[in-house]
Amino acid sequence: MTTFVWPARVYYEDTDAGGVVYYANYLKFLERARTEWLRALGFDQRDLMREAGILFAVRRGEIDYLLPARFYDELRIEAVVARVSKVSLTFTQRILREPDTPLCNASVKVVCLDREKFRPTAIPERIRELIEHA
């Protein structure tokens, strides 16, 4: 599937006292890239909750930190759907310092949930088809 790329910059608020991105903030960058990927496909998460009655939530995440990102670095966050099932998507993601220095690799599984019951539910067919052909 196609690699989605989302550019970001490291701000002071993202860093610890040493000027290095705090480890948990990498997860925020990864999340934002997945959200922007979904928007690029034409789906707003607010509309999915209101109209389709679904939301996506992280079920599992694995991350390997390779090098630190630092204050004011320009980053490139990549997201690729590696696997699609009836109720979940598994992404492989990377964060790179521009132009192409890998900083971390991640695998993130998100599950489609019924908004009311907060239980796994099938990804709507039209969404799954768009994802599979993206």
Side-chain angles (χ1 to χ4, degrees):
M1 295 194 186
T2 306
T3 300
F4 176 80
V5 177
W6 181 68
R9 181 176 300 280
V10 175
Y11 294 106
Y12 186 76
E13 68 188 28
D14 299 317
T15 64
D16 60 18
V20 172
V21 171
Y22 181 65
Y23 80 97
N25 287 338
Y26 289 85
L27 299 174
K28 292 179 182 182
F29 288 125
L30 297 172
E31 174 74 31
R32 290 174 191 159
R34 291 191 308 276
T35 297
E36 293 303 324
W37 163 82
L38 196 57
R39 282 173 37 110
L41 285 178
F43 300 105
D44 183 306
Q45 291 191 54
R46 296 169 300 182
D47 294 339
L48 291 176
M49 284 190 280
R50 281 192 305 257
E51 297 166 14
I54 63 166
L55 56 96
F56 290 99
V58 172
R59 169 74 171 93
R60 182 176 186 281
E62 184 176 324
I63 188 168
D64 290 316
Y65 298 96
L66 307 172
L67 292 170
R70 299 182 186 278
F71 176 58
Y72 221 65
D73 279 352
E74 290 183 47
L75 304 178
R76 184 173 78 236
I77 297 91
E78 298 178 347
V80 176
V81 176
R83 184 173 183 276
V84 179
S85 78
K86 182 178 178 181
V87 298
S88 69
L89 305 169
T90 302
F91 291 85
T92 55
Q93 290 189 261
R94 299 190 315 159
I95 298 178
L96 300 99
R97 181 183 303 113
E98 288 290 8
D100 57 5
T101 302
L103 303 180
C104 77
N105 297 319
S107 175
V108 180
K109 181 177 184 175
V110 297
V111 66
C112 183
L113 298 176
D114 178 286
R115 180 185 67 143
E116 296 297 323
K117 298 175 186 170
F118 228 68
R119 302 287 304 160
T121 190
I123 299 168
E125 188 65 32
R126 67 183 176 85
I127 296 172
R128 202 166 76 236
E129 285 178 6
L130 270 173
I131 290 169
E132 290 174 339
H133 295 104

